[in-house]
């Protein structure tokens, strides 16, 4: 790895960021179909960055329809070395009100209709997901929130539901009993695929409102949610600008386990691997497959 390139996946409002130099949109091909959109390349504060609109510009894809495999592959192909996810979520806790940023360290994946692995017939791999996010990235992002006086939690469990409908009241109460902190629809299988691609991944979950368990949920208006979302986007831009240098300065050694996650994950011996599968994995697993 010759230089750090920090990739951000999130809503399109994030990309109109002050100070971005040499911005250029470019479509990057994928072995797994079309990504959500072209990538926005640029330099911010001397750090190379890439932005990817998760839902496509104009919010064209629902959470289920997003091609997560293509999104992660194009980021790796474009040279991304780290991924920061910026995601709107609902809160499952009274003490995480709208406007709070949660630096997620755990997920519960309840999605059922998505392609969740680059591997499969022809080449099988089992990567570790015990700790699904990069703690080094998370620590920098949490400190950035503290420095900017953005209300934040250093840890949190994100329940990823399929959607596009929101949860029922019974489901919302069940997820609270499970100890989940926030709920959303987009970070799985994104985090799993980033791990297979050996890319350190962190999530900043931005609370827009309380999920339906909350007695005041029915009183939430579209206007109030949009107001919170606008404030969250503004704070997310400030957070990006404030933490980029520190994110790029994280020692590679602090992320060694993630960057070498495939060392012991691939179980199919070389002489049994399917050539077509090897072609599909030529970007994602190039370090170990050659």
């Amino acid at each position: 790895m010759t230089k750090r390139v920090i990739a951000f996946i999130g809503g399109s409002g994030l990309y109109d960021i002050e100070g971005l130099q040499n911005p250029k949109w470019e479509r990057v091909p994928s072995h797994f179909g079309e990504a959500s959109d072209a990538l926005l390349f640029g330099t911010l504060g001397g750090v190379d960055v890439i932005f990817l609109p998760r839902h496509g510009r104009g919010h064209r894809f629902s959470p289920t329809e997003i091609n997560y495999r293509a999104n992660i592959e194009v980021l790796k192909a474009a040279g991304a070395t780290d991924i920061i996810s910026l995601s709107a979520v609902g809160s499952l806790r009274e003490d995480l009100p709208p406007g709070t940023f949660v630096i997620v360290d755990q997920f519960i994946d309840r999605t059922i209709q998505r392609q969740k692995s680059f591997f499969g017939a022809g080449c099988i791999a089992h990567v570790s997901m015990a700790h699904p996010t990069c703690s080094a990235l998370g620590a920098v992002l949490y400190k950035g929130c503290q420095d900017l006086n953005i209300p934040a939690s250093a840890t949190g469990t994100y329940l990823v539901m399929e959607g596009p409908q929101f949860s029922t009241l019974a489901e919302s109460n069940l997820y609270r009993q499970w100890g989940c902190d926030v709920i959303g629809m987009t970070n799985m299988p994104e985090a799993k695929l980033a791990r297979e691609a050996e890319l350190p991944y962190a999530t900043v979950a931005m609370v827009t409102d309380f999920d339906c368990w909350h007695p005041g949920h029915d009183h939430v208006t579209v206007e109030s949610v949009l107001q919170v979302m606008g404030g969250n986007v503004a704070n997310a831009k400030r957070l990006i600008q404030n933490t980029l240098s520190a994110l790029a300065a994280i020692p590679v050694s602090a992320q060694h386990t993630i960057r070498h996650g495939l060392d012991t994950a691939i179980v199919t011996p070389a002489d049994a691997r399917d050539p077509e599968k090897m072609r599909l994995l030529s970007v994602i697993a190039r370090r170990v497959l050659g």
Side-chain angles (χ1 to χ4, degrees):
M1 188 171 64
T2 58
K3 64 177 179 179
R4 299 297 272 275
V5 180
I6 311 299
F8 297 90
I9 307 176
S12 57
L14 294 167
Y15 309 138
D16 181 22
I17 190 166
E18 184 178 351
L20 183 66
Q21 297 180 329
N22 304 314
K24 178 180 68 173
W25 287 96
E26 182 177 336
R27 178 72 69 171
V28 177
S30 167
H31 292 94
F32 297 93
E34 289 288 323
S36 293
D37 208 326
L39 302 179
L40 175 60
F41 294 83
T43 304
L44 189 61
V47 179
D48 289 338
V49 295
I50 304 172
F51 293 96
L52 171 61
R54 181 185 281 116
H55 298 276
R57 283 169 287 180
H59 207 104
R60 295 176 292 115
F61 300 106
S62 77
T64 297
E65 294 167 334
I66 292 168
N67 189 340
Y68 294 94
R69 293 195 298 181
N71 283 355
I72 296 300
E73 191 197 27
V74 297
L75 289 175
K76 179 148 189 171
T81 59
D82 304 80
I83 297 176
I84 310 297
S85 164
L86 298 145
S87 306
V89 297
S91 174
L92 295 168
R93 286 176 39 184
E94 189 80 53
D95 60 343
L96 296 176
T100 304
F101 282 12
V102 179
I103 311 303
V104 173
D105 64 329
Q106 286 294 328
F107 295 99
I108 293 179
D109 184 1
R110 294 279 291 167
T111 65
I112 57 174
Q113 298 185 52
R114 309 177 187 186
Q115 294 288 339
K116 300 189 180 187
S117 178
F118 294 107
F119 296 89
C123 187
I124 306 299
H126 303 282
V127 300
S128 172
M129 288 298 296
H131 302 285
T133 63
C134 173
S135 60
L137 292 175
V140 170
L141 292 165
Y142 179 63
K143 183 178 185 304
C145 289
Q146 291 182 305
D147 292 343
L148 295 170
N149 294 316
I150 299 172
S153 173
T155 61
T157 297
Y158 180 149
L159 188 290
V160 191
M161 62 181 296
E162 185 62 63
Q165 300 86 358
F166 294 113
S167 54
T168 68
L169 177 59
E171 288 170 334
S172 190
N173 283 324
L174 175 64
Y175 301 150
R176 279 169 46 81
Q177 292 176 22
W178 286 356
C180 300
D181 301 299
V182 294
I183 182 169
M185 301 180 188
T186 60
N187 276 206
M188 283 292 178
E190 198 172 83
K192 291 177 177 177
L193 295 166
R195 181 57 55 88
E196 288 189 345
E198 299 185 320
L199 292 172
Y201 177 94
T203 290
V204 180
M206 305 178 293
V207 177
T208 60
D209 59 357
F210 289 107
D211 201 45
C212 63
W213 66 271
H214 195 277
H217 175 82
D218 289 341
H219 303 295
V220 175
T221 65
V222 172
E223 290 78 12
S224 66
V225 171
L226 290 176
Q227 184 176 14
V228 172
M229 288 182 68
N232 284 349
V233 169
N235 278 337
K237 291 180 179 179
R238 294 170 60 217
L239 182 62
I240 291 171
Q241 293 167 320
N242 188 66
T243 58
L244 257 182
S245 295
L247 291 169
I250 293 172
V252 173
S253 59
Q255 302 169 314
H256 179 84
T257 299
I258 298 171
R259 297 192 185 279
H260 289 261
L262 295 179
D263 282 356
T264 58
I266 299 176
V267 297
T268 306
D271 61 359
R273 295 170 188 166
D274 176 63
E276 174 60 15
K277 193 66 172 180
M278 294 304 94
R279 184 185 70 83
L280 295 177
L281 294 169
S282 60
V283 171
I284 291 301
R286 62 191 173 204
R287 187 187 65 81
V288 293
L289 297 179

